[in-house]
Amino acid sequence: MKEILATVLMLLGSALALIASIGVIRMPDMFSRMQASSKAGSLGVGLVAAGAAVFFHAVPVTSRALLIIVFFLLTAPVAAHIIARSAYLMRVPMWEGTLTDEWRERRTTEETGHKSGSPAGSDPVP
């Protein structure tokens, strides 16, 4: 029974890692790619580690698997957020279909010191 559960967990984790890889290739911009890789990748690694813990059913393996899961769940979202923020501040272009840019006015305000942003019709970011 534990072999079947471990196999299912590992296959699900591998499928999520594959989906994350496909997302990295297929998504239109860096920000979307980071979302696919961080979310699906973290969950995929967690499921593979859980599958290893179930399969070996030993304290050393289980404790390491839990540490791996906790490490990925704590660090991957933070790292993705920091990388995305840095990319945004370095003006990495967004996909033209992006509907919301909540930082645009804030960034404009910080750069120009004006709350209202740029004149109508012009791009506030040079």
Side-chain angles (χ1 to χ4, degrees):
M1 184 66 186
K2 73 175 185 180
E3 289 87 6
I4 294 172
L5 180 61
T7 301
V8 169
L9 289 172
M10 288 188 174
L11 285 176
L12 283 174
S14 300
L16 284 173
L18 177 65
I19 290 170
S21 303
I22 292 170
V24 168
I25 294 171
R26 298 282 301 168
M27 291 292 171
D29 66 346
M30 187 225 135
F31 301 102
S32 301
R33 291 179 189 138
M34 288 199 52
Q35 179 183 0
S37 66
S38 65
K39 290 181 180 176
S42 297
L43 191 56
V45 168
L47 286 175
V48 169
V54 168
F55 181 76
F56 288 106
H57 196 61
V59 172
V61 175
T62 303
S63 62
R64 289 181 181 134
L66 288 176
L67 285 174
I68 290 170
I69 293 169
V70 169
F71 179 77
F72 263 90
L73 290 179
L74 289 177
T75 60
V78 174
H81 175 77
I82 291 172
I83 292 170
R85 183 182 173 116
S86 298
Y88 184 83
L89 294 175
M90 292 177 63
R91 302 177 197 284
V92 171
M94 290 183 162
W95 178 48
E96 61 270 2
T98 301
L99 298 176
T100 304
D101 183 3
E102 294 178 355
W103 279 3
R104 186 179 190 125
E105 183 176 338
R106 180 177 169 189
R107 185 173 67 185
T108 304
T109 302
E110 289 175 358
E111 289 175 356
T112 62
H114 300 290
K115 180 71 176 166
S116 61
S118 64
S122 67
D123 188 10
V125 180

